[in-house]
Amino acid sequence: FHTVLSKHWVRPNSLLAWSIPHDSEQAADIANMLAKLLGEGPTSVLHKRLIDQDQIANSVGANMFQLLHESIFSIYFTPRDGMADACVKAIQEELAKLATVGVSQQVLTRLLKSEHLRYEFIKENPTAGLLNISVLTSYIQKGTLDSVFTVAERLARVTPDSIRSFVSAQLTPQSTMRIDTVPHTEAQKEEWRLEQIKEQELEQQILAAHVRTTPLPENVVVPVSQEYP
């Protein structure tokens, strides 16, 4: 559990993350389908629970980000005031349901239809497709968009049982990393401003103490980027 202070955020934000080993391409496909199931759009599991039903969050989403040696599965949300812990509890409850009851094939079929439409668009507009983070990641890893065009076909092989097994094995409460990002208070903002002033004054003192006191020889040319003040 980590808390990060940020001068850039206006409202608190939270993230739950799990490290997923690169077992197989199939595991990545299951995780991608799970991310869509949990956090993509108003019909997703967590949008219905956190925003519509419990009304404890302003936004929620999920993502699978592939790295070189592992992947990170994350659920991110903007809780309503004082509701961060309630959001985490609700998310863990929904994950527990998926790990035991699972999801219906009907729901997976609905998600697949939207994926087919999306990747058909990417085939016709490959440049626009690179703006999609999952497409861009795949292109960087494999150097081609060919594998991207088969994603919808691979996702079609994801089953309710594979979703249930993945959640129960990978997204456990014990392996969850939580990061809360909170904005600076007004007092902290003022403290930050004063620290910046001190840093600028110190920088000016250092520069003033290192002014060249003797001229350079006439035959020495100093690049602009290396000129002394």
Side-chain angles (χ1 to χ4, degrees):
F1 184 9
H2 304 276
T3 300
V4 178
L5 289 175
S6 173
K7 63 177 182 178
H8 303 293
W9 290 99
V10 178
R11 294 186 58 84
N13 288 267
S14 296
L15 174 100
L16 302 181
W18 296 263
S19 175
I20 309 297
H22 277 328
D23 291 338
S24 64
E25 191 175 66
Q26 182 183 13
D29 293 337
I30 295 171
N32 283 324
M33 181 66 89
L34 179 61
K36 300 177 191 306
L37 173 68
L38 287 173
E40 189 172 275
T43 61
S44 64
V45 170
L46 294 180
H47 190 285
K48 288 180 178 179
R49 174 66 189 273
L50 272 63
I51 298 176
D52 297 338
Q53 178 181 320
D54 294 355
Q55 298 183 358
I56 54 178
N58 293 313
S59 65
V60 64
N63 185 46
M64 174 69 169
F65 191 75
Q66 295 181 348
L67 303 175
L68 186 59
H69 299 295
E70 63 178 354
S71 296
I72 302 297
F73 188 91
S74 63
I75 298 173
Y76 46 90
F77 55 95
T78 304
R80 293 194 174 184
D81 293 342
M83 292 295 176
D85 290 342
C87 287
V88 173
K89 183 175 182 293
I91 290 170
Q92 296 290 9
E93 289 175 355
E94 293 302 322
L95 291 177
K97 290 179 185 177
L98 287 175
T100 53
V101 180
V103 61
S104 70
Q105 184 61 53
Q106 182 181 5
V107 171
L108 293 185
T109 301
R110 175 178 55 80
L111 291 174
L112 280 171
K113 288 182 179 178
S114 65
E115 282 305 290
H116 277 291
L117 291 174
R118 185 159 72 98
Y119 284 100
E120 283 299 321
F121 173 80
I122 292 173
K123 285 182 181 180
E124 298 176 2
N125 304 271
T127 303
L130 287 176
L131 298 177
N132 181 280
I133 185 62
S134 61
V135 175
L136 182 58
T137 301
S138 177
Y139 180 78
I140 292 173
Q141 289 179 333
K142 301 183 180 180
T144 176
L145 286 174
D146 293 343
S147 61
V148 173
F149 299 149
T150 64
V151 170
E153 297 175 5
R154 298 201 314 269
L155 292 180
R157 295 194 287 268
V158 175
T159 65
D161 284 341
S162 64
I163 292 280
R164 182 167 56 248
S165 298
F166 182 89
V167 174
S168 61
Q170 302 291 349
L171 307 189
T172 64
Q174 295 78 12
S175 61
T176 305
M177 177 177 67
R178 174 179 170 181
I179 301 175
D180 289 344
T181 303
V182 297
H184 282 186
T185 63
E186 291 303 318
Q188 289 169 330
K189 289 179 181 179
E190 178 62 16
E191 182 180 349
W192 179 274
R193 188 184 69 82
L194 295 175
E195 286 295 328
Q196 285 183 312
I197 293 174
K198 289 181 181 179
E199 290 179 5
Q200 292 171 359
E201 292 175 346
L202 178 60
E203 182 178 346
Q204 291 300 321
Q205 292 175 11
I206 293 173
L207 291 174
H210 290 81
V211 173
R212 176 173 288 280
T213 57
T214 58
L216 288 170
E218 294 182 0
N219 60 342
V220 175
V221 178
V222 179
V224 175
S225 61
Q226 296 181 21
E227 284 185 350
Y228 292 90

